[in-house]
Amino acid sequence: MVLLAGLAMTSPAVAQEAAPKHKPLAEDGLHDPDLPGVHMLQEPGDVLGHLPATTSGNLVDWNKAVRDGYIEPRATLLDRGEVKTLDLDIYLPNTGDAKVVRFPHLEHSEWLDCNNCHPVPFAEEVGATPMSMLEILMGEYCGICHGAVAFPLTECSRCHSVDYDDYLKIRDQQRR
Amino acid sequence: MTTTSRSVISSGAERAGRRWSRRLAVLLLPLAVALPPGTADAEYADVVLNRLSEAADMAPVIFPHWFHRVRFRCKVCHSDSELGFKMRVGANPMDMQRLQEGEYCGACHNGQIAWGLENCELCHSGKMGLPTHIKGGHETSGPGRW
């Protein structure tokens, strides 16, 4: 029975390798293949398959796609617009047994305006917004985007990325 | 497994029932882990909008975040200065009237930036009966699956 359970638990990874990376819209379980419009739409595989890859979400490294010029998403409705980025890392050290979270403003400000996140849901002062992983998993704070449209919350190490000792060194450097 | 006094005083049928439900649970547990509901076929962050569609005999709308993200940064649609979409499925009170007046999707889907609203079937392309939701969470993730 244990062996059977073990086999069943490894099967999703095997199935994912065998399946095409991006399902055609007519087979995605959401679109109705009997409706004529479905066959006029752009297929995700035709676009996403040509962008830098990751292993989760849309299987696209969206930041690399922008940084390396694969895509040039507009910053305003009508033209390319101006993108004001902020290169400032924020560290969240109260993470229990998990590694310290490094939040990079740089990648976020490529996509978002300051007022998308400030002052709601995040106060601008560091440490002024208490949040827990449970709330994030329930779709609050970081979980408004991560788990819905930005990379999912199964990618623990992409946020929890800094050893506590290294964090202490960074903090001491910043204080100097 | 159940060698407590409770099992001693319960009837044979009850005991057999519990034994079978336990066996069933052991059998189904790996299935529950292996096949999470709503499998990974649709693209991550696809949104189904069916608050009004089906009640008006129209197919639900499927909004592909990936398609729009290739072309626009998040803030274009999600900032108050432009389209003002709240980042929560179901939190945006749009209807065809408001779209025709240039709000929400209608800011682009007017035949100038993107196809006009007369192309009903390009957006109303979902299966009937789908609830309003976003494809996300662990369901469409990769190796970091819960």
Side-chain angles (χ1 to χ4, degrees), chain A residues 1 4-5 8-9 11-12 16 22-23 27-33 35 37-38 40-44 47-48 55-58 62 66 71 73-78 82-83 110-113 115-116 137 139-140 144-145 147-155, chain B residues 26-27 30-31 33-35 40-48 59 62 65-67 69-76 78-83 87-88 107-108 113 115 121-122 124-128 130 133-138 140-146:
Chain A
M1 187 59 81
L4 189 69
M9 286 171 86
S11 66
Q16 275 180 353
H22 300 279
K23 279 261 184 179
E27 299 168 25
D28 71 357
L30 295 186
H31 291 87
D32 183 345
L35 297 176
V38 174
M40 297 166 66
L41 299 171
Q42 189 170 39
E43 291 289 345
V47 181
L48 306 182
T55 52
S56 64
N58 296 116
W62 289 102
V66 167
I71 55 172
R74 291 183 190 175
T76 67
L77 208 52
L78 291 172
E82 194 186 355
V83 180
E110 280 280 0
W111 299 96
L112 294 160
D113 264 343
N115 66 18
N116 282 130
L137 287 160
E140 303 295 334
I144 293 170
C145 294
V149 62
F151 66 74
L153 296 166
T154 42
E155 302 298 296
Chain B
V26 171
L27 268 172
L31 268 181
V33 177
L35 303 169
D41 291 342
E43 278 301 323
Y44 186 69
D46 278 357
V47 177
V48 178
I62 311 295
H65 258 115
W66 65 267
F67 178 96
R69 191 174 181 178
V70 167
R71 293 157 175 83
F72 295 94
R73 292 171 200 256
C74 317
K75 61 185 173 184
V76 176
H78 290 293
S79 285
D80 292 339
S81 56
E82 295 215 69
L83 303 194
M87 293 177 177
R88 190 70 82 191
C108 285
I113 299 177
W115 68 62
E121 72 280 5
L122 294 182
H124 289 273
S125 58
K127 289 181 176 175
M128 287 292 192
L130 288 173
H133 71 293
I134 184 165
K135 293 289 291 182
H138 59 289
T140 45
S141 65
R145 182 185 289 270
W146 277 317

Side-chain angles (χ1 to χ4, degrees), chain B residues 1-145:
Chain B
M1 299 226 243
T2 346
T3 51
T4 61
S5 56
R6 265 189 68 204
S7 66
V8 175
I9 56 166
S10 57
S11 75
E14 274 175 339
R15 256 178 292 160
R18 266 207 299 278
R19 225 170 18 241
W20 273 108
S21 57
R22 199 161 51 233
R23 279 177 196 167
L24 201 63
V26 171
L27 268 172
L28 289 179
L29 183 68
L31 268 181
V33 177
L35 303 169
T39 45
D41 291 342
E43 278 301 323
Y44 186 69
D46 278 357
V47 177
V48 178
L49 300 167
N50 198 7
R51 190 169 51 88
L52 304 173
S53 299
E54 209 165 319
D57 280 334
M58 291 295 293
V61 171
I62 311 295
F63 171 84
H65 258 115
W66 65 267
F67 178 96
H68 292 82
R69 191 174 181 178
V70 167
R71 293 157 175 83
F72 295 94
R73 292 171 200 256
C74 317
K75 61 185 173 184
V76 176
C77 301
H78 290 293
S79 285
D80 292 339
S81 56
E82 295 215 69
L83 303 194
F85 276 100
K86 288 197 169 61
M87 293 177 177
R88 190 70 82 191
V89 173
N92 298 292
M94 62 236 190
D95 54 37
M96 288 311 297
Q97 178 72 37
R98 297 184 82 160
L99 267 48
Q100 274 155 12
E101 289 164 5
E103 291 187 63
Y104 296 111
C105 322
C108 285
H109 285 281
N110 51 15
Q112 293 176 339
I113 299 177
W115 68 62
L117 297 173
E118 69 279 9
N119 298 290
C120 317
E121 72 280 5
L122 294 182
C123 299
H124 289 273
S125 58
K127 289 181 176 175
M128 287 292 192
L130 288 173
T132 295
H133 71 293
I134 184 165
K135 293 289 291 182
H138 59 289
E139 295 170 13
T140 45
S141 65
R145 182 185 289 270

Side-chain angles (χ1 to χ4, degrees), chain A residues 92 94 121-122 128-136 140-142:
Chain A
L92 289 78
N94 299 327
F122 299 105
T129 307
M131 63 189 121
S132 68
M133 203 59 226
L134 183 63
E135 290 168 299
I136 293 168
E140 303 295 334
Y141 302 110
C142 320

